[in-house]
Amino acid sequence: LRRGAFEDSIALLEEALDRYRDDPRATRARYLQADAYRQSGLALKADLNEAQLPGAIEQMRLQAQERFAEAAPQRRVHP
């Protein structure tokens, strides 16, 4: 499942940012993490087209909204 790779990236970047918050590369890491959130949200939206159960559809819709909400503030970070 493709979105699993994005979720792994989100977790790894979160850990790196926690450890190396003041590193000059942190801005790039925040951008990459925001992009991973965005890509994960897009993958969830694509999966919605294939979902059959109403409960699964609503859960995936909420997860996609959460991913996009996480991506938005992080993409506004400037060096």
Side-chain angles (χ1 to χ4, degrees), residues 2 5-6 8 10 15-16 20-21 23-24 29 31 34 41 43-44 47 52 57 60 66 69 76:
R2 230 177 67 156
F6 295 122
D8 290 346
I10 291 166
E15 183 178 341
Y20 307 107
R21 186 165 308 279
D23 189 286
Y31 176 84
L44 280 163
D47 288 348
Q52 300 294 320
I57 292 170
M60 292 166 78
E66 289 172 3
R76 286 191 273 261

Side-chain angles (χ1 to χ4, degrees), residues 40-56:
S40 178
L42 291 173
L44 280 163
K45 284 183 80 172
D47 288 348
L48 279 171
N49 294 332
E50 299 173 13
Q52 300 294 320
L53 301 174

Side-chain angles (χ1 to χ4, degrees), residues 13 21 24 32 40 58-62 66 73 76-77 79:
L13 288 162
R21 186 165 308 279
L32 292 172
S40 178
E58 185 58 27
Q59 181 181 8
M60 292 166 78
R61 183 175 291 126
L62 290 172
E66 289 172 3
R76 286 191 273 261
V77 173

